[in-house]
Amino acid sequence: LIHHISTMMKKMNTIDLRISFAGSLISNDNIYSDMLRDKIKTFLPTVKIVAPKHLPIEGAILLARGILNE
């Protein structure tokens, strides 16, 4: 995941990136999410972890609306 985030930053040509977690494995407090947060802080210190603006279902609806409006 660190590699994916880093690649995304390069493709977007930015060092400032805000990300949020979705899915119970990384959004809940557990060893995996703690490890990911620690790795982000260590290897990608300019990345900020933020709370999601919408629930996953709301994101799916927004995507579906965009596809239907094309």
Side-chain angles (χ1 to χ4, degrees), residues 8-9 12-19 45-48:
M8 206 167 56
M9 291 171 71
M12 294 172 64
N13 196 27
T14 187
I15 60 167
D16 297 318
L17 186 67
R18 296 181 316 144
I19 63 170
T46 61
V47 172
K48 303 292 184 244

Side-chain angles (χ1 to χ4, degrees), residues 15-42:
I15 60 167
D16 297 318
L17 186 67
R18 296 181 316 144
I19 63 170
S20 60
F21 294 155
S24 61
L25 187 59
I26 60 173
S27 62
N28 292 332
D29 288 331
N30 57 57
I31 190 169
Y32 301 110
S33 65
D34 292 343
M35 188 183 318
L36 180 57
R37 289 173 197 276
D38 289 342
K39 297 277 186 195
I40 289 171
K41 286 178 188 172
T42 301

Side-chain angles (χ1 to χ4, degrees), residues 6 20 26 36 44 47 51 62 68-69:
S6 176
S20 60
I26 60 173
L36 180 57
L44 303 169
V47 172
L62 290 171
L68 292 175
N69 289 333

